Amino acid sequence: MKIFHYHTPELTPTDSLPDCAVVIDVLRATTTIATALNAGAEAVQAFSDIDKLMQVSASLPPEKVLRAGERGGAKVEGCDLGNSPLDCTQDVVQGKRLFLTTTNGTRALQRVEKSPVVITGAMVNRQTVVDYLQEKQPETLWLVGSGWQGAYSLEDSVCAGAIALSFFQADPAVVGNDEIIGAIALYQQWQSQLVQMFELASHGKRLLGLDCREDLEYCAKTDILDVLPIQTEPGILVKFSS
C-alpha cells in the first residue's frame, strides 16, 4: 500500500485515480454524512451545484427527501437543513435520502467519484475507516482533504494523519508523499486537544462566529460512530455492509 494525502481536491493528480479514495471534510460534510447514515438515512447524495440538487431531489416523493445545503458555513435558503451533523437525528433522517451540497466536501467527492472505491472519513468514524482499509489493503490510497475554497485546512489534515498513523507505524514504506508525514505529525501533536485545535483553525473560527460551537465539539469526537459511508454510484453514499 502507498498512501498519499492531498490537502484539497485541486491538488490531486489530474492524470490518475487511486484504487481507493477517502474524502475528508471534518468541518462538516463528512461528519454529517457519517452521522446521517448512522441515524438511519437511506443514502446521502452529494452535489456541488445547488440547482442540480433541487432538480434531482424533486424527482423523489417529498416524504423521502431531505435537502441539506451550506455555503460559507450557513444554511442555504430553500433547504430543510444546513450542514450540521447535530441536525441528523434518527427522527429527522430515518428512511430518507439526504441531498447534500456544501462549500467544500461535495467538490472533493466529485473530484474522485470515478475511483474504484470511494469512502468518506471524519474523526467520528476514523476507526471504521482504518478497519476497512486494513482489510482491503488497496494498492494506492488517497486521503483527500476538502480544505476551504481551495486552501489548506488543519482539521482535514489532522484527520488524514489519524487515519494514516497505524499504517505508518506498521510499515513506514507506506508513505507516498511528504504530506502524509506532515499530517501524522500534526495528529500526534494535537490528538488529545482536537477541540482546541479546531478553535484555532480558520473554519473553526468561522463556525464559532456562526454560533456553532456544539458542532465543532462534536466533530472533534473520535471513534464514536461505527459506520462507513461508501459510494455505490457517483455522488451517492450508503452505509457499508460487509
Side-chain angles (χ1 to χ4, degrees):
M1 182 190 294
K2 282 289 184 183
I3 307 176
F4 300 82
H5 174 40
Y6 299 103
H7 295 149
T8 69
E10 292 82 4
L11 292 173
T12 59
T14 57
D15 59 350
S16 64
L17 286 169
D19 296 301
C20 178
V22 182
V23 173
I24 302 168
D25 186 5
V26 175
L27 296 176
R28 296 167 286 176
T30 57
T31 304
T32 295
I33 290 167
T35 303
L37 292 175
N38 187 69
E42 172 261 330
V44 177
Q45 190 161 352
F47 296 83
S48 57
D49 181 79
I50 295 172
D51 292 336
K52 183 71 171 175
L53 180 153
M54 294 297 184
Q55 177 187 345
V56 174
S57 62
S59 66
L60 270 68
E63 66 273 13
K64 292 292 186 180
V65 171
L66 273 176
R67 298 178 181 89
E70 169 267 324
R71 288 294 183 272
K75 176 183 168 183
V76 172
E77 185 177 352
C79 288
D80 305 296
L81 306 173
N83 188 24
S84 173
L86 300 181
D87 290 338
C88 295
T89 57
Q90 185 173 349
D91 61 316
V92 172
V93 305
Q94 178 77 44
K96 297 184 179 182
R97 178 168 296 208
L98 187 68
F99 290 83
L100 178 68
T101 181
T102 70
T103 304
N104 306 294
T106 46
R107 289 188 305 104
L109 280 165
Q110 191 174 51
R111 168 64 189 93
V112 295
E113 66 183 9
K114 293 181 181 178
S115 302
V117 178
V118 178
I119 60 179
T120 66
M123 294 310 303
V124 292
N125 70 326
R126 178 200 67 101
Q127 188 60 52
T128 312
V129 172
V130 170
D131 292 345
Y132 176 86
L133 296 173
Q134 286 178 335
E135 178 185 348
K136 301 298 183 182
Q137 291 289 316
E139 187 172 341
T140 56
L141 171 65
W142 289 4
L143 306 178
V144 183
S146 299
W148 176 260
Q149 297 183 344
Y152 172 85
S153 66
L154 280 169
E155 65 275 6
D156 292 347
S157 194
V158 80
C159 184
I163 292 169
L165 177 60
S166 60
F167 297 97
F168 172 72
Q169 290 175 329
D171 180 11
V174 299
V175 171
N177 61 0
D178 288 358
E179 288 88 338
I180 281 291
I181 298 295
I184 290 170
L186 190 67
Y187 176 66
Q188 289 176 317
Q189 174 69 27
W190 287 95
Q191 59 185 303
S192 62
Q193 296 177 293
L194 289 177
V195 172
Q196 293 90 328
M197 178 191 182
F198 289 2
E199 289 173 343
L200 293 172
S202 60
H203 193 37
K205 292 177 180 177
R206 194 174 292 108
L207 291 176
L208 290 174
L210 293 167
D211 197 26
C212 294
R213 173 170 288 281
E214 289 185 5
D215 275 24
L216 189 149
E217 292 175 349
Y218 176 80
C219 292
K221 294 181 183 294
T222 304
D223 302 339
I224 61 169
L225 299 181
D226 183 20
V227 60
L228 182 74
I230 189 165
Q231 180 178 264
T232 54
E233 56 185 278
I236 298 178
L237 298 144
V238 303
K239 184 177 180 180
F240 176 72
S241 179
S242 56

